[in-house]
Amino acid sequence: MRHIAIIGSGPAGYYTAEAAQKEFGEGVRVDIFDKLPVPYGLIRTGVAPDHQSIKGVSRRYEKTALTENVRFVGNVAVGEDISIAQMQDMYDAVVLATGAPQDRELDIPGEDLANTFGSAAFVGWYNGHPQFADLDPDLSGTNAVVIGMGNVALDVARMLSKKEQEFDGSDIVGHALNALGASNIDRVILLGRRGPHQIMMTPKELGELGQLDHAAPHIDPRDLPDQAEDAILEPGLRKSVAILREFAATPEHIRAEKRIAVEFAFFAQPRALIGDGKVEAVEVERTRLERGRAVGTGEVERLPADLVISCIGYRTTPIPGVPFDERAGRFANDEGRILPGLYCVGWARRGPSGTIGTNKPDGFGIIEKIAADMTDGTLQSKGKKGREAFDAFAAEKGIDVVTFRDWKRIEEAEVKAAREGAPREKFVDIEAMIKAVN
């Protein structure tokens, strides 16, 4: 029997478990660990609450989770409750699928001012992540600046621009729904250091910005390159730029009908956040493109900002005893191999790139490597007992493990507590989750 531990229960973790089943059949036992008592990682706490169709991929993971040879082991913090070395003593292979849950820093003066947040924190706040449930952003001001030109920045801008009725059918948590419903923000600036041809926004998500009840996108036509230059773009980006052109061509009197303006500020590099204790403005330097890179022009201006959300990327959280690439913000690895018997997959391997679906071939690829290492003798099972060994360890240490059956009780309680029209009301603290189990 082969014993595999996967650390992280998001898409990368479950696709890897599915791959292990297909590779080894009944000859494998897979334990999927998570620090939280609930599974699915960023499907639960990262995907926008109004994107329920995307969250539906969790049904595929549930099929894997309900099989006999895959087990969810929640409420266990690897690196704290149990070390990687201890896990390697128990399992033939340990796969890190921890994602990249930490924000990259802006690394500019003033980023520690109040009401300045990274996207991991802000998205976690409106998605009910226990770590960020008490974030309490101040939405009493009128100007918000969102730094970044990717889909996460779009999600944040859209959340800030919606009113209560527009969240019908979503699973946004109650505290965020109430706060956003009472928000005074009427100007959201999306700040990017390069131009329209360098955005990382996909057409579907970008198009949603033009369908809001109370907000309209604003783009200065002068920021758009000659339309003939769009021909060199790959098809998806070409569609996104076409949507930007539609936004720019919208007559002013139509935009004026919407209370909230979502402005695209291209060619603007943030240099400092300004304020006395709390953020009041963003100092930006105008840029120009040289061989695709943003170069400062020396022209500086200040944009008013009562709230700043930085959406410039994520980093993996280091784990004691695991080699880490500080520059790349992920585990140091050679195509997923870290050390003998220790592997990584998904964002923990390649950094925060790709879509949810990208994790499927990634998971199958790492299982192929594990199988090869087992075949050529790189991995030699020495009577390791896998989950039997872990269960004995957990009993000895008094670790309160949450199983998938327990999670289903938590889910049932969340569904029961849902407001009208919502699929669930998430618990936002671990104690409440554990109470629901019991």
Side-chain angles (χ1 to χ4, degrees):
M1 182 64 66
R2 296 170 174 86
H3 300 282
I4 298 176
I6 299 172
I7 318 305
S9 69
Y14 271 106
Y15 283 128
T16 302
E18 181 183 332
Q21 288 181 312
K22 292 188 176 179
E23 178 69 34
F24 301 115
E26 291 300 316
V28 70
R29 293 290 179 269
V30 181
D31 284 352
I32 302 179
F33 291 82
D34 202 291
K35 185 175 184 178
L36 292 178
V38 293
Y40 307 142
L42 285 183
I43 297 297
R44 178 179 169 93
T45 60
V47 173
D50 56 352
H51 283 174
Q52 288 298 303
S53 61
I54 297 175
K55 288 176 181 277
V57 73
S58 63
R59 289 190 289 271
R60 174 174 182 153
Y61 309 147
E62 181 169 318
K63 288 182 180 179
T64 301
L66 292 173
T67 55
E68 288 296 323
N69 56 346
V70 173
R71 182 177 71 159
F72 174 68
V73 188
N75 201 37
V76 177
V78 175
E80 299 174 22
D81 295 328
I82 183 171
S83 71
I84 288 293
Q86 287 170 319
M87 297 203 77
Q88 287 189 275
D89 286 340
M90 300 174 187
Y91 294 87
D92 299 311
V94 177
V95 182
L96 303 179
T98 55
Q102 291 187 335
D103 286 299
R104 279 183 55 201
E105 294 182 353
L106 282 168
D107 198 25
I108 60 175
E111 69 176 313
D112 58 345
L113 287 170
N115 230 34
T116 300
F117 308 101
S119 55
F122 193 75
V123 171
W125 169 72
Y126 62 63
N127 259 327
H129 194 298
Q131 184 180 349
F132 305 113
D134 296 329
L135 200 69
D136 195 24
D138 182 357
L139 306 180
S140 62
T142 57
N143 296 288
V145 172
V146 179
I147 302 173
M149 284 283 174
N151 279 348
V152 175
L154 274 179
D155 285 345
V156 169
R158 193 174 67 255
M159 294 299 106
L160 289 171
S161 303
K162 281 191 168 189
K163 289 303 176 185
E164 190 167 352
Q165 68 276 13
E166 292 179 271
F167 287 106
D168 287 350
S170 81
D171 65 351
I172 186 170
V173 291
H175 64 243
L177 181 66
N178 294 336
L180 291 168
S183 168
N184 289 325
I185 290 172
D186 59 17
R187 184 188 188 197
V188 180
I189 302 174
L190 282 160
L191 195 67
R193 57 191 174 89
R194 297 190 293 173
H197 276 189
Q198 289 76 42
I199 63 172
M200 301 294 288
M201 299 169 173
T202 50
K204 178 182 181 296
E205 283 69 21
L206 191 58
E208 289 177 321
L209 208 59
Q211 301 169 3
L212 300 176
D213 291 346
H214 304 282
H218 292 236
I219 292 177
D220 188 337
R222 294 171 296 181
D223 285 336
L224 293 164
D226 189 285
Q227 191 163 356
E229 296 180 29
D230 294 356
I232 65 172
L233 303 175
E234 60 88 15
L237 180 54
R238 195 182 312 135
K239 288 180 182 178
S240 292
V241 174
I243 293 170
L244 294 180
R245 293 189 185 280
E246 291 175 10
F247 290 164
T250 303
E252 181 57 37
H253 72 275
I254 292 179
R255 287 199 296 256
E257 294 173 357
K258 303 290 181 74
R259 184 180 73 81
I260 302 171
V262 181
E263 302 176 14
F264 286 72
F266 295 107
F267 307 109
Q269 172 79 38
R271 292 300 185 196
L273 305 185
I274 310 299
D276 183 11
K278 181 180 177 183
V279 68
E280 299 169 11
V282 180
E283 182 178 278
V284 302
E285 180 180 6
R286 290 295 159 186
T287 64
R288 64 175 182 272
L289 290 181
E290 290 186 3
R291 297 179 180 178
R293 298 189 60 175
V295 177
T297 64
E299 180 186 349
V300 176
E301 66 174 305
R302 288 188 178 183
L303 302 174
D306 304 297
L307 169 72
V308 173
I309 313 294
S310 172
C311 307
I312 61 169
Y314 302 108
R315 292 171 57 85
T316 295
T317 304
I319 297 177
V322 181
F324 194 78
D325 184 339
E326 286 287 349
R327 187 172 179 273
R330 53 175 170 74
F331 296 118
N333 71 94
D334 179 11
E335 296 185 342
R337 292 182 174 98
I338 302 175
L339 296 169
L342 183 61
Y343 305 83
C344 56
V345 69
W347 284 9
R349 178 185 76 83
R350 66 180 189 272
S353 63
T355 64
I356 291 170
T358 308
N359 293 292
K360 182 180 177 182
D362 208 23
F364 277 72
I366 206 66
I367 288 298
E368 288 176 3
K369 289 180 172 63
I370 291 173
D373 290 348
M374 288 178 172
T375 300
D376 68 15
T378 303
L379 286 183
Q380 294 183 355
S381 179
K382 301 176 182 177
K384 295 181 180 180
K385 297 184 178 180
R387 64 179 58 171
E388 181 184 338
F390 174 78
D391 288 348
F393 174 88
E396 180 183 346
K397 298 293 183 181
I399 300 173
D400 189 9
V401 170
V402 174
T403 67
F404 199 82
R405 183 177 294 178
D406 295 333
W407 146 244
K408 295 301 289 183
R409 293 194 186 101
I410 295 171
E411 183 181 44
E412 182 182 357
E414 289 183 338
V415 170
K416 187 178 293 186
R419 63 184 178 277
E420 185 177 356
R424 67 190 60 80
E425 180 61 44
K426 295 175 190 169
F427 291 112
V428 298
D429 69 86
I430 291 174
E431 186 176 327
M433 294 175 186
I434 301 299
K435 186 176 179 181
V437 170
N438 298 326

